[in-house]
Amino acid sequence: MTKSDFIKSVTELLKDNVKVLVLVRIPNSGNNRNYFFMENSNELERLINESNESDSITVFKEINELNTGLVTEDFIRIVTESQVENSFDPELLIVNNNYREYKKNGSSEWNTVENVNELKEVLTDTIDEKISIISEPDFCDEQNTFHLYVPNKYGISKPGATY
């Protein structure tokens, strides 16, 4: 997908949604995944312009958001009681940040959990934070994603031996 097609597609998606889930993968970094929510096309432009060449930006067209809100003892109890299965398939993704927080911190906070015990542990660690719990989306699902490798100044994505 070209940069202009990516911007056009994601901008249209943002018109129909309050927020979209973004995954940024950074080559050659130890913690190379960042999940966060984006709320407008200005944030999209800044993200692309401030990313490094060959960074991978994936925007999900749809997500299955199971719960969202401020984590309190009641929130933990309600969420964990509603999850009766011992393991989750797919795993649950817990996203703590929006684009502004990602930009401010230079990374995002997120977790995946495989079972109710892990869910309770992560939620307990995020008391008084606003989070979203999502069925982990497949970033390789081309039907549900818009994807861009950030191009270099010549408009070329992933030139030569990028990795």
Side-chain angles (χ1 to χ4, degrees), residues 6-88:
F6 179 80
I7 292 170
K8 181 180 177 183
S9 297
V10 174
T11 298
E12 286 298 315
L13 184 64
L14 282 163
K15 286 180 183 176
D16 297 332
N17 295 279
V18 174
K19 63 185 180 181
V20 295
L21 181 64
V22 178
L23 166 62
V24 174
R25 291 178 294 146
I26 303 166
N28 302 317
S29 77
N31 182 11
N32 69 351
R33 286 188 184 185
N34 289 285
Y35 286 97
F36 54 88
F37 287 104
M38 182 176 292
E39 298 167 346
N40 62 62
S41 57
N42 293 332
E43 293 175 344
L44 175 63
E45 291 280 346
R46 284 193 300 271
L47 174 63
I48 293 170
N49 291 335
E50 295 171 359
S51 292
N52 296 316
E53 296 173 10
S54 297
D55 284 358
S56 168
I57 302 172
T58 302
V59 175
F60 297 92
K61 296 176 187 177
E62 294 181 10
I63 57 169
N64 182 12
E65 191 169 36
L66 305 172
N67 297 88
T68 188
L70 183 67
V71 180
T72 63
E73 293 294 332
D74 285 339
F75 182 90
I76 294 170
R77 182 183 47 75
I78 290 167
V79 168
T80 56
E81 286 176 359
S82 70
Q83 300 294 331
V84 294
E85 295 181 35
N86 189 30
S87 62
F88 308 130

Side-chain angles (χ1 to χ4, degrees), residues 120-158:
K120 186 172 185 175
E121 181 180 325
V122 168
L123 293 177
T124 301
D125 290 344
T126 57
I127 288 280
D128 295 328
E129 293 181 30
K130 186 173 181 195
I131 58 101
S132 293
I133 302 172
I134 302 163
S135 292
E136 185 175 30
D138 180 1
F139 66 86
C140 295
D141 179 0
E142 293 180 18
Q143 300 300 315
N144 190 42
T145 58
F146 296 118
H147 186 77
L148 174 73
Y149 285 101
V150 177
N152 64 17
K153 63 183 177 183
Y154 305 108
I156 299 171
S157 295
K158 294 181 72 169

Side-chain angles (χ1 to χ4, degrees), residues 104-116:
K104 176 182 164 189
N105 298 326
S107 63
S108 66
E109 292 194 32
W110 58 276
N111 285 285
T112 56
V113 295
E114 297 179 353
N115 57 55
V116 174

